[in-house]
């Protein structure tokens, strides 16, 4: 049985009342083109008005099946009842004082919750920010303050954000970096474990390959932090081979390098564990969270070992809005929702249901190179039939065909050839099955030169 936490007034059924986009969305897209910087692209040309459970309703009344969660954000559901109630109560009490001016309990309670829930039972501290990128930057600041070293190692296909330091840490040029340099220095890139594309290299061997690059090109004595997504997000939902993360973490521990898990996309039940690091029992020194943390409100965090977190001098960390009271209220409600509604278990149920459909598709369609992922973070890597050559045009065609049929799906990957599925954990089995049927139809519609 599925737990559904749909808010009021959103029928949990896919329903198309107009072509996609409908006339109201088209009119709004025209206004957007005149008013919004064209650098801000949209996946679908439809404007949302309401969303809950597994449905996003657009301004023309179309009910779209949500397999994107606004990029892994509305993990507990859109307008999840506990989040709505908590935010309404908080907004009526006070909206902002600045935690650095007159603090409030909600921030401390979120820090306590993160210290309790993140991997490892050592003493921890937390600091809150607004966006994933901001939190990643601060994790680097903290690691540098603690180690007195400067270098940062990141990986092939990594995505860490769009600010200057995180652009340097992100691998892919277009669209994230192109024309936006110069980038921050002292960022070095190591090879990842990517089983589908590295000949199935085992995790231990892939880790030693990365460590060799790090030792030869950077040197542990210069290295403040290794920053890695335990399952890569924008880079293609790449799950490193078992043993890769534990081996890297052990090397970091031995050399006094701060091991930072960027769980911005993988965190908060998304992968069928509360955090993706839990899967192999990896305990990062610092863990960066955002996206799924607060049911859609902007919040991010760095949580980690007290001795490392407390290395930054007083006043060295902060920001005007970091840990905004509305976002903190939302985070506490989102965490309560994850626990009360057993959403970690729900993510595993979604994995079982979705993988069955996707694997069936894979056996029938040679353009499916690999089906992978965990929990409600699943991906289909598309290739030219029977080869391992990436097929980004096919990914675009299939996503486009799904959009036309009222299903929100996203693409990702260094080559843009990966369909990624990130449903909210509040979605019903019925909507998931419907979404799979639509994907199947989209594959059929994109068969043989039709693109
Ligand atoms: C989205 C993302 C970020 C950046 O988060 P923003 O809130 O967009 O700044 C960083 N790391 C990972 C792994 C992400 O998926």
């Amino acid at each position: 049985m599925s737990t559904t936490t749909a808010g009021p007034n959103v029928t949990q059924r896919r329903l198309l009342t107009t072509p996609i986009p409908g006339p109201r969305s088209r009119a709004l897209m025209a206004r957007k083109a005149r008013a919004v910087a064209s650098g801000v692209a949209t996946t679908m040309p439809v404007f949302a008005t309401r969303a809950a459970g597994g449905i996003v309703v657009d301004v023309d009344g179309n009910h779209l099946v949500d397999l994107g969660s606004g990029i892994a954000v509305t993990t507990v559901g859109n307008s999840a009842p506990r989040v709505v109630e908590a935010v309404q109560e908080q907004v009526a009490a006070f909206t902002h004082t600045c935690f650095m001016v007159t603090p409030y309990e909600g921030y401390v309670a979120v820090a306590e919750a993160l210290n309790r829930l993140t991997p490892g039972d050592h003493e921890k501290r937390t600091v809150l920010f607004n966006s994933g990128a901001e939190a990643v930057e601060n994790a680097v600041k903290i690691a540098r303050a603690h180690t007195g070293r400067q270098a940062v190692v990141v990986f092939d296909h990594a995505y860490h954000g769009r600010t200057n330091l995180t652009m340097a840490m992100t691998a892919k040029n277009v669209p994230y970096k192109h024309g936006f340099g110069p980038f921050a220095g002292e960022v070095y890139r190591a090879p990842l474990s990517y089983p589908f594309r590295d000949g199935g290299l085992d995790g231990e061997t892939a880790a030693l390959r990365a460590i060799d690059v790090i030792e030869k090109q950077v040197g542990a004595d210069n290295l403040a932090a290794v920053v890695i997504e335990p399952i890569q997000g924008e880079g293609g939902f790449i799950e490193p081979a078992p043993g890769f993360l534990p081996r890297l973490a052990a090397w970091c521990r031995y050399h006094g390098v701060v091991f930072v898990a960027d769980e911005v996309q993988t965190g908060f039940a998304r992968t069928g564990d509360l955090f993706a690091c839990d899967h192999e029992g990896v305990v990062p020194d610092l863990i960066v969270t955002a996206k799924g943390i607060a049911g859609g409100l902007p919040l991010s965090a760095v949580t980690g070992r007290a001795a490392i977190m407390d290395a930054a001098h007083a006043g060295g960390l902060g920001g005007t809005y970091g840990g905004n009271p509305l976002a903190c209220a939302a985070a506490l409600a989102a965490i309560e929702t994850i626990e009360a509604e057993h959403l970690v278990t729900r993510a595993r149920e979604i994995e079982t249901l979705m993988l069955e459909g996707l694997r069936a598709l894979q056996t029938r369609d040679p353009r499916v190179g690999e089906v992978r992922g965990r929990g409600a973070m699943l991906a289909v890597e598309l290739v030219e039939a029977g080869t391992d050559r990436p097929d980004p045009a096919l990914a675009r065609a299939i996503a486009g065909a799904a959009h036309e049929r009222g299903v929100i799906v996203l693409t990702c990957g260094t080559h843009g050839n990966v369909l990624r599925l990130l449903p909210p954990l509040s979605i019903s089995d019925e909507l998931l099955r419907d979404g799979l049927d639509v994907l199947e139809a989209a594959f059929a519609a994109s068969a043989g030169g039709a693109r």
Side-chain angles (χ1 to χ4, degrees), residues 373-394:
R374 299 201 301 262
M377 183 171 181
L378 303 171
V380 180
E381 177 156 357
L382 299 168
V383 293
E384 293 171 20
T387 74
D388 65 1
R389 282 196 297 276
D391 195 343
L394 179 62

Side-chain angles (χ1 to χ4, degrees), residues 243-331:
F244 182 77
L245 293 170
R247 189 71 189 75
L248 267 181
W251 182 87
C252 286
R253 197 172 316 119
Y254 183 79
H255 290 283
V257 173
V258 179
F259 184 78
V260 183
D262 178 349
E263 291 234 25
V264 168
Q265 191 151 165
T266 50
F268 297 99
R270 174 56 55 189
T271 63
D273 289 289
L274 198 49
F275 296 97
C277 278
D278 292 330
H279 185 68
E280 288 188 275
V282 170
V283 177
D285 297 313
L286 303 182
I287 181 168
V288 181
T289 52
K291 292 197 166 98
I293 193 174
L297 274 83
L299 186 72
S300 64
V302 181
T303 300
R305 295 183 190 283
I308 300 174
M309 292 294 297
D310 287 339
H313 55 275
L317 304 176
T320 306
Y321 292 112
N324 168 270
L326 303 186
C328 287

Side-chain angles (χ1 to χ4, degrees), residues 146-389:
H146 170 70
T147 57
R149 308 171 185 169
Q150 295 188 348
V152 177
V153 160
V154 292
F155 288 82
D156 288 333
H157 311 287
Y159 181 84
H160 297 292
R162 294 173 181 268
T163 56
N164 188 262
L165 175 57
T166 58
M167 273 196 294
M169 296 170 69
T170 289
K172 190 173 176 176
N173 178 40
V174 175
Y176 307 121
K177 303 165 76 162
H178 184 69
F180 297 152
F183 304 111
E186 287 305 309
V187 175
Y188 302 88
R189 198 166 304 282
L192 185 72
S193 163
Y194 188 169
F196 180 63
R197 295 200 174 273
D198 62 14
L201 205 62
D202 68 89
E204 173 83 10
T205 308
L208 293 175
R209 179 178 65 175
I211 288 165
D212 188 55
V213 168
I214 297 169
E215 287 182 339
K216 300 261 161 54
Q217 299 184 19
V218 187
D221 291 348
N222 301 310
L223 185 55
V226 166
V227 184
I228 189 164
E229 301 154 83
I231 299 177
Q232 283 193 332
E234 309 301 304
F237 280 27
I238 303 165
E239 193 183 353
F244 182 77
L245 293 170
R247 189 71 189 75
L248 267 181
W251 182 87
C252 286
R253 197 172 316 119
Y254 183 79
H255 290 283
V257 173
V258 179
F259 184 78
V260 183
D262 178 349
E263 291 234 25
V264 168
Q265 191 151 165
T266 50
F268 297 99
R270 174 56 55 189
T271 63
D273 289 289
L274 198 49
F275 296 97
C277 278
D278 292 330
H279 185 68
E280 288 188 275
V282 170
V283 177
D285 297 313
L286 303 182
I287 181 168
V288 181
T289 52
K291 292 197 166 98
I293 193 174
L297 274 83
L299 186 72
S300 64
V302 181
T303 300
R305 295 183 190 283
I308 300 174
M309 292 294 297
D310 287 339
H313 55 275
L317 304 176
T320 306
Y321 292 112
N324 168 270
L326 303 186
C328 287
L332 293 170
I335 289 166
E336 189 190 319
T337 304
I338 289 169
E339 292 180 329
E341 298 186 2
H342 310 290
L343 292 185
V344 170
T345 306
R346 179 60 189 149
R348 292 185 182 200
E349 291 170 2
I350 290 173
E351 173 184 323
T352 303
L353 189 155
M354 297 288 279
L355 278 187
E356 190 184 306
L358 296 174
R359 294 240 157 93
L361 191 63
Q362 182 178 24
T363 57
R364 289 195 305 271
D365 197 322
R367 300 170 301 171
V368 176
E370 188 176 48
V371 171
R372 60 175 176 252
R374 299 201 301 262
M377 183 171 181
L378 303 171
V380 180
E381 177 156 357
L382 299 168
V383 293
E384 293 171 20
T387 74
D388 65 1
R389 282 196 297 276

